[in-house]
Amino acid sequence: MLALVAVLLANADGRSGIALSRLVGARSDRRVTVVIAFAAFIVNAVIAAVAGAIANGMIGQGVAALLVALAMLSAAVALLWRVKLLPDSVADDASRAILAGRMLANQFGDRSHFLIGALAATSGAGQWAAAGGLVGWTLAMLPFLAFGPGLAERRAARNLRWTAAAILILWGLRTALGAFGLIG
């Protein structure tokens, strides 16, 4: 559940949804494109979850909590750092194999996967962190897939992005303070 909420908040800006919405609109094989996007996310989520589960046995809970705090704070910075998404004309014409490779590479190390790995490191339950992360990522993308990329420029979407960043900052600071034993 933590991974679901954290990944949902971390993707409140809709970057993934906007990119997938544009890609689906430009390609003729829409269903295959969506399946490739989800498969790429799942592969990267499983890698992050396995790495987190392995880290769980190697690091203490204090260090794992600091890793979660860092993941949440970096996700908040990514939300507040506005990047103009440029259309990917290469992916529009790419073969399915090239598209899959590009999506795998583009999602590697994404804030969602960093959160999944960090949360898996606290509990060792990587499969649940990956599953929650997938649900959170999907829920964050749905509005942008349904209503298009223009949704991100609306005032309510900007307010939601700032609110999500504030929640992640507070959550990250609380986790970091707890890791140092400063709050209970």
Side-chain angles (χ1 to χ4, degrees):
M1 186 60 117
L2 289 177
L4 186 153
V5 174
V7 172
L8 178 62
L9 289 171
N11 287 288
D13 61 353
R15 287 183 199 171
S16 297
I18 292 168
L20 186 56
S21 177
R22 287 181 180 165
L23 194 58
V24 165
R27 292 183 61 93
S28 61
D29 55 350
R30 290 179 173 92
R31 289 183 180 147
V32 172
T33 302
V34 170
V35 168
I36 289 172
F38 275 85
F41 184 88
I42 291 168
V43 166
N44 281 308
V46 168
I47 291 169
V50 168
I54 291 170
N56 176 265
M58 298 171 56
I59 61 177
Q61 285 302 306
V63 175
L66 285 176
L67 185 63
V68 170
L70 177 63
M72 289 185 182
L73 293 173
S74 67
V77 169
L79 276 174
L80 298 175
W81 194 293
R82 292 302 297 158
V83 175
K84 192 74 167 173
L85 291 174
L86 300 174
D88 191 1
S89 60
V90 175
D92 295 349
D93 302 332
S95 70
R96 291 175 181 173
I98 298 294
L99 179 65
R102 286 181 61 114
M103 284 191 173
L104 270 171
N106 286 343
Q107 289 184 11
F108 186 75
D110 183 54
R111 57 190 157 186
S112 300
H113 301 100
F114 187 28
L115 279 165
I116 290 168
L119 289 167
T122 62
S123 67
Q127 71 277 16
W128 293 112
L134 175 64
V135 172
W137 181 73
T138 303
L139 290 174
M141 278 198 330
L142 284 178
F144 298 97
L145 288 173
F147 300 112
L151 183 63
E153 300 307 318
R154 301 191 99 163
R155 182 183 195 106
R158 285 193 301 270
N159 291 342
L160 181 64
R161 187 180 78 236
W162 280 88
T163 302
I167 292 169
L168 284 170
I169 289 169
L170 291 173
W171 193 358
L173 290 175
R174 160 92 175 66
T175 304
L177 291 172
F180 288 114
L182 298 175
I183 56 174

Short mmCIF file of all heavy atoms in Angstrom, two decimals, residues 28-63:
data_model
loop_
_atom_site.label_atom_id
_atom_site.label_comp_id
_atom_site.label_asym_id
_atom_site.label_seq_id
_atom_site.Cartn_x
_atom_site.Cartn_y
_atom_site.Cartn_z
N SER A 28 0.22 3.40 -34.97
CA SER A 28 -0.96 2.66 -35.43
C SER A 28 -1.23 1.42 -34.57
O SER A 28 -2.36 0.96 -34.48
CB SER A 28 -0.78 2.24 -36.89
OG SER A 28 0.35 1.39 -37.02
N ASP A 29 -0.21 0.89 -33.93
CA ASP A 29 -0.36 -0.31 -33.08
C ASP A 29 -0.53 0.10 -31.62
O ASP A 29 0.31 -0.16 -30.77
CB ASP A 29 0.82 -1.26 -33.26
CG ASP A 29 2.16 -0.58 -33.00
OD1 ASP A 29 2.19 0.65 -32.86
OD2 ASP A 29 3.16 -1.30 -32.92
N ARG A 30 -1.66 0.71 -31.32
CA ARG A 30 -1.90 1.30 -30.01
C ARG A 30 -1.86 0.28 -28.88
O ARG A 30 -1.24 0.51 -27.83
CB ARG A 30 -3.23 2.03 -30.01
CG ARG A 30 -3.21 3.27 -30.86
CD ARG A 30 -4.58 3.96 -30.85
NE ARG A 30 -4.51 5.23 -31.54
CZ ARG A 30 -4.76 5.40 -32.82
NH1 ARG A 30 -5.09 4.36 -33.56
NH2 ARG A 30 -4.67 6.59 -33.37
N ARG A 31 -2.54 -0.82 -29.05
CA ARG A 31 -2.59 -1.83 -27.99
C ARG A 31 -1.21 -2.41 -27.70
O ARG A 31 -0.84 -2.60 -26.54
CB ARG A 31 -3.55 -2.96 -28.36
CG ARG A 31 -4.99 -2.51 -28.32
CD ARG A 31 -5.94 -3.63 -28.62
NE ARG A 31 -7.31 -3.14 -28.58
CZ ARG A 31 -8.27 -3.59 -29.33
NH1 ARG A 31 -8.05 -4.56 -30.18
NH2 ARG A 31 -9.48 -3.08 -29.24
N VAL A 32 -0.47 -2.67 -28.74
CA VAL A 32 0.87 -3.22 -28.56
C VAL A 32 1.75 -2.19 -27.85
O VAL A 32 2.54 -2.54 -26.97
CB VAL A 32 1.48 -3.62 -29.92
CG1 VAL A 32 2.93 -4.00 -29.79
CG2 VAL A 32 0.67 -4.75 -30.54
N THR A 33 1.59 -0.92 -28.19
CA THR A 33 2.37 0.14 -27.56
C THR A 33 2.09 0.21 -26.07
O THR A 33 3.00 0.33 -25.25
CB THR A 33 2.07 1.50 -28.22
OG1 THR A 33 2.38 1.40 -29.62
CG2 THR A 33 2.88 2.61 -27.61
N VAL A 34 0.82 0.11 -25.68
CA VAL A 34 0.45 0.13 -24.26
C VAL A 34 1.01 -1.10 -23.55
O VAL A 34 1.53 -1.00 -22.44
CB VAL A 34 -1.08 0.25 -24.10
CG1 VAL A 34 -1.50 0.04 -22.66
CG2 VAL A 34 -1.57 1.59 -24.61
N VAL A 35 0.92 -2.25 -24.18
CA VAL A 35 1.46 -3.48 -23.58
C VAL A 35 2.97 -3.35 -23.40
O VAL A 35 3.51 -3.74 -22.35
CB VAL A 35 1.10 -4.71 -24.44
CG1 VAL A 35 1.88 -5.94 -24.01
CG2 VAL A 35 -0.39 -4.98 -24.37
N ILE A 36 3.66 -2.79 -24.38
CA ILE A 36 5.11 -2.60 -24.27
C ILE A 36 5.43 -1.66 -23.12
O ILE A 36 6.36 -1.89 -22.34
CB ILE A 36 5.69 -2.08 -25.60
CG1 ILE A 36 5.66 -3.20 -26.65
CG2 ILE A 36 7.11 -1.56 -25.42
CD1 ILE A 36 6.02 -2.74 -28.05
N ALA A 37 4.67 -0.57 -22.97
CA ALA A 37 4.91 0.38 -21.88
C ALA A 37 4.73 -0.28 -20.52
O ALA A 37 5.56 -0.11 -19.62
CB ALA A 37 3.97 1.58 -22.02
N PHE A 38 3.66 -1.06 -20.38
CA PHE A 38 3.43 -1.74 -19.10
C PHE A 38 4.48 -2.81 -18.85
O PHE A 38 4.93 -2.98 -17.72
CB PHE A 38 2.02 -2.32 -19.05
CG PHE A 38 1.00 -1.33 -18.59
CD1 PHE A 38 0.42 -0.45 -19.48
CD2 PHE A 38 0.65 -1.27 -17.25
CE1 PHE A 38 -0.51 0.49 -19.05
CE2 PHE A 38 -0.28 -0.34 -16.82
CZ PHE A 38 -0.87 0.55 -17.71
N ALA A 39 4.87 -3.54 -19.88
CA ALA A 39 5.90 -4.57 -19.72
C ALA A 39 7.23 -3.94 -19.31
O ALA A 39 7.93 -4.48 -18.44
CB ALA A 39 6.05 -5.36 -21.02
N ALA A 40 7.57 -2.81 -19.91
CA ALA A 40 8.81 -2.12 -19.55
C ALA A 40 8.77 -1.67 -18.10
O ALA A 40 9.76 -1.80 -17.37
CB ALA A 40 9.04 -0.92 -20.47
N PHE A 41 7.62 -1.15 -17.67
CA PHE A 41 7.51 -0.74 -16.27
C PHE A 41 7.64 -1.95 -15.35
O PHE A 41 8.35 -1.88 -14.34
CB PHE A 41 6.17 -0.03 -16.00
CG PHE A 41 6.07 0.49 -14.60
CD1 PHE A 41 6.53 1.75 -14.29
CD2 PHE A 41 5.56 -0.29 -13.58
CE1 PHE A 41 6.48 2.23 -12.99
CE2 PHE A 41 5.50 0.18 -12.28
CZ PHE A 41 5.96 1.44 -11.98
N ILE A 42 6.97 -3.03 -15.68
CA ILE A 42 7.00 -4.22 -14.83
C ILE A 42 8.41 -4.79 -14.73
O ILE A 42 8.86 -5.16 -13.64
CB ILE A 42 6.00 -5.27 -15.33
CG1 ILE A 42 4.56 -4.78 -15.10
CG2 ILE A 42 6.22 -6.63 -14.67
CD1 ILE A 42 3.49 -5.58 -15.81
N VAL A 43 9.11 -4.86 -15.85
CA VAL A 43 10.48 -5.38 -15.82
C VAL A 43 11.36 -4.52 -14.91
O VAL A 43 12.09 -5.04 -14.05
CB VAL A 43 11.08 -5.46 -17.25
CG1 VAL A 43 12.57 -5.67 -17.22
CG2 VAL A 43 10.39 -6.55 -18.04
N ASN A 44 11.28 -3.20 -15.06
CA ASN A 44 12.08 -2.32 -14.22
C ASN A 44 11.64 -2.37 -12.77
O ASN A 44 12.46 -2.28 -11.86
CB ASN A 44 12.04 -0.89 -14.75
CG ASN A 44 12.97 -0.71 -15.93
OD1 ASN A 44 14.13 -1.04 -15.85
ND2 ASN A 44 12.45 -0.18 -17.02
N ALA A 45 10.33 -2.52 -12.51
CA ALA A 45 9.83 -2.61 -11.14
C ALA A 45 10.32 -3.89 -10.48
O ALA A 45 10.68 -3.88 -9.29
CB ALA A 45 8.30 -2.55 -11.13
N VAL A 46 10.34 -4.98 -11.22
CA VAL A 46 10.83 -6.25 -10.66
C VAL A 46 12.33 -6.14 -10.34
O VAL A 46 12.78 -6.61 -9.29
CB VAL A 46 10.53 -7.42 -11.62
CG1 VAL A 46 11.27 -8.68 -11.22
CG2 VAL A 46 9.03 -7.69 -11.66
N ILE A 47 13.08 -5.52 -11.22
CA ILE A 47 14.51 -5.33 -10.96
C ILE A 47 14.71 -4.50 -9.70
O ILE A 47 15.52 -4.85 -8.83
CB ILE A 47 15.21 -4.67 -12.17
CG1 ILE A 47 15.25 -5.65 -13.35
CG2 ILE A 47 16.62 -4.20 -11.81
CD1 ILE A 47 15.67 -5.03 -14.67
N ALA A 48 13.96 -3.40 -9.57
CA ALA A 48 14.07 -2.55 -8.39
C ALA A 48 13.63 -3.29 -7.13
O ALA A 48 14.27 -3.17 -6.07
CB ALA A 48 13.24 -1.28 -8.58
N ALA A 49 12.57 -4.06 -7.23
CA ALA A 49 12.06 -4.80 -6.07
C ALA A 49 13.05 -5.88 -5.62
O ALA A 49 13.26 -6.06 -4.41
CB ALA A 49 10.71 -5.41 -6.41
N VAL A 50 13.63 -6.58 -6.56
CA VAL A 50 14.62 -7.60 -6.21
C VAL A 50 15.85 -6.95 -5.58
O VAL A 50 16.36 -7.44 -4.56
CB VAL A 50 15.01 -8.44 -7.46
CG1 VAL A 50 16.23 -9.29 -7.19
CG2 VAL A 50 13.84 -9.30 -7.89
N ALA A 51 16.30 -5.83 -6.14
CA ALA A 51 17.44 -5.12 -5.56
C ALA A 51 17.11 -4.64 -4.15
O ALA A 51 17.95 -4.74 -3.24
CB ALA A 51 17.83 -3.94 -6.45
N GLY A 52 15.90 -4.14 -3.96
CA GLY A 52 15.49 -3.70 -2.63
C GLY A 52 15.40 -4.84 -1.64
O GLY A 52 15.80 -4.71 -0.48
N ALA A 53 14.85 -5.97 -2.09
CA ALA A 53 14.75 -7.14 -1.20
C ALA A 53 16.13 -7.66 -0.83
O ALA A 53 16.34 -8.08 0.32
CB ALA A 53 13.92 -8.22 -1.88
N ILE A 54 17.06 -7.63 -1.75
CA ILE A 54 18.44 -8.05 -1.44
C ILE A 54 19.06 -7.06 -0.46
O ILE A 54 19.73 -7.47 0.50
CB ILE A 54 19.27 -8.17 -2.74
CG1 ILE A 54 18.78 -9.36 -3.56
CG2 ILE A 54 20.76 -8.29 -2.42
CD1 ILE A 54 19.36 -9.44 -4.97
N ALA A 55 18.83 -5.77 -0.69
CA ALA A 55 19.37 -4.75 0.21
C ALA A 55 18.80 -4.89 1.61
O ALA A 55 19.48 -4.58 2.59
CB ALA A 55 19.08 -3.36 -0.35
N ASN A 56 17.58 -5.37 1.73
CA ASN A 56 16.95 -5.56 3.03
C ASN A 56 17.77 -6.47 3.93
O ASN A 56 17.87 -6.25 5.13
CB ASN A 56 15.53 -6.12 2.87
CG ASN A 56 14.86 -6.42 4.19
OD1 ASN A 56 14.89 -7.55 4.66
ND2 ASN A 56 14.28 -5.40 4.78
N GLY A 57 18.36 -7.48 3.34
CA GLY A 57 19.18 -8.40 4.13
C GLY A 57 20.59 -7.88 4.38
O GLY A 57 21.30 -8.43 5.21
N MET A 58 20.98 -6.83 3.69
CA MET A 58 22.36 -6.35 3.79
C MET A 58 22.51 -5.07 4.60
O MET A 58 23.60 -4.80 5.12
CB MET A 58 22.93 -6.13 2.39
CG MET A 58 22.98 -7.40 1.57
SD MET A 58 23.40 -7.16 -0.17
CE MET A 58 24.93 -6.31 -0.09
N ILE A 59 21.44 -4.27 4.69
CA ILE A 59 21.54 -2.99 5.38
C ILE A 59 20.56 -2.97 6.55
O ILE A 59 19.57 -3.69 6.57
CB ILE A 59 21.27 -1.79 4.45
CG1 ILE A 59 19.87 -1.85 3.85
CG2 ILE A 59 22.31 -1.72 3.34
CD1 ILE A 59 19.51 -0.65 2.98
N GLY A 60 20.82 -2.12 7.49
CA GLY A 60 19.93 -1.98 8.63
C GLY A 60 18.70 -1.18 8.29
O GLY A 60 18.63 -0.51 7.26
N GLN A 61 17.72 -1.24 9.19
CA GLN A 61 16.45 -0.54 8.94
C GLN A 61 16.62 0.98 8.95
O GLN A 61 15.90 1.68 8.26
CB GLN A 61 15.41 -0.97 9.97
CG GLN A 61 14.86 -2.36 9.70
CD GLN A 61 14.24 -2.47 8.31
OE1 GLN A 61 13.37 -1.70 7.94
NE2 GLN A 61 14.72 -3.44 7.53
N GLY A 62 17.57 1.48 9.71
CA GLY A 62 17.82 2.92 9.71
C GLY A 62 18.32 3.40 8.36
O GLY A 62 17.88 4.44 7.84
N VAL A 63 19.22 2.65 7.78
CA VAL A 63 19.75 3.00 6.46
C VAL A 63 18.66 2.85 5.41
O VAL A 63 18.53 3.68 4.50
CB VAL A 63 20.98 2.14 6.12
CG1 VAL A 63 21.47 2.41 4.71
CG2 VAL A 63 22.10 2.40 7.12
#
